[in-house]
Amino acid sequence: GPEQTTLDGNFDGEQAKYGIYINSDEDNDTIIEGFTISGYGQVVGGNGITITSGSSPSVRNCIFLDNNRTNSGAAVDVDEGSAPIFQNCTFESNTTQQFGAAINCEYAAPEFIGCDFLQNDAKRRGGAAFIIGNPTVFPRFHDCTFHGNVTSSSTDNYANGGAVWISTGSQTRAEFSQCDFSSNMAKLGGAIFI
């Protein structure tokens, strides 16, 4: 499980760009299970896991811990119509200088079931998640916990959405059911900014 198996972005002094990169139209039968994914993003453009080009794997019982990216999505970057399912995953202490420290979701439809988003820090928007999309392609969160996430820039007037930032452009949509938000902080929208 994740306590015994770690993908380490700084293993033995070498910095890897990505923990996992998925871009070959994988479906939900592709299963990633039982890893801690930590220390990615030090190489420019890298992160814990990138899912793109319509890929839709299942990610289960993984811990995304201490990934740090200059751009958006230190733990997970999902885009281009991809629809992965994340189940019972923890996203903790991930940081980015831009948007969505745990999740950067652009025009994609990931589903998060029973996931915890804890103490993630995006300097600008969406401490845990940054979402931009349209009415038909959007993320879903069910039975998830958002605790202690922040947008921490003291100089950016748009450091909003302590847990989640949802774009108002393109009629972006996101769905939350039975989720708990607590102790998230931002200039505006400690829990969610729309």
Side-chain angles (χ1 to χ4, degrees), residues 7 28 31 41 54 66 72 74 90 105 122 162 168-169 186:
L7 301 179
N28 293 141
I31 298 171
D66 290 327
S72 305
T90 298
C105 176
T168 56

Side-chain angles (χ1 to χ4, degrees), residues 37-74:
I37 300 170
S38 181
Y40 289 92
Q42 304 302 318
V43 177
V44 174
N47 70 337
I49 181 170
T50 290
I51 302 170
T52 189
S53 303
S55 301
S56 303
S58 297
V59 183
R60 303 175 185 161
N61 303 311
C62 287
I63 298 171
F64 295 84
L65 178 68
D66 290 327
N67 297 287
N68 182 346
R69 191 178 198 190
T70 301
N71 204 347
S72 305

Side-chain angles (χ1 to χ4, degrees), residues 10 28 41 49 65 79 83 89 126 135 143-144 152 156 171 177 189:
N10 291 305
N28 293 141
I49 181 170
L65 178 68
D79 62 16
C89 291
D143 194 28
C144 292
S152 62
D156 189 333
Q171 298 179 324
S177 61

Side-chain angles (χ1 to χ4, degrees), residues 39-143:
Y40 289 92
Q42 304 302 318
V43 177
V44 174
N47 70 337
I49 181 170
T50 290
I51 302 170
T52 189
S53 303
S55 301
S56 303
S58 297
V59 183
R60 303 175 185 161
N61 303 311
C62 287
I63 298 171
F64 295 84
L65 178 68
D66 290 327
N67 297 287
N68 182 346
R69 191 178 198 190
T70 301
N71 204 347
S72 305
V76 174
D77 195 352
V78 58
D79 62 16
E80 297 182 16
S82 298
I85 298 172
F86 290 84
Q87 191 166 11
N88 299 324
C89 291
T90 298
F91 302 85
E92 185 171 359
S93 300
N94 300 287
T95 59
T96 178
Q97 300 301 310
Q98 295 293 325
F99 315 134
I103 309 296
N104 182 53
C105 176
E106 298 187 28
Y107 301 98
E111 185 171 2
F112 299 89
I113 303 166
C115 293
D116 294 327
F117 297 85
L118 310 172
Q119 298 163 343
N120 298 286
D121 180 352
K123 298 297 183 212
R124 297 189 62 202
R125 297 178 187 154
F130 175 86
I131 299 166
I132 185 168
N134 62 48
T136 58
V137 178
F138 59 91
R140 293 175 170 87
F141 299 83
H142 177 71
D143 194 28

Side-chain angles (χ1 to χ4, degrees), residues 165-187:
W165 187 91
I166 302 170
S167 170
T168 56
S170 304
Q171 298 179 324
T172 297
R173 178 178 171 192
E175 184 177 288
F176 298 86
S177 61
Q178 298 179 338
C179 292
D180 180 53
F181 292 81
S182 62
S183 302
N184 301 288
M185 298 185 348
K187 289 186 176 180

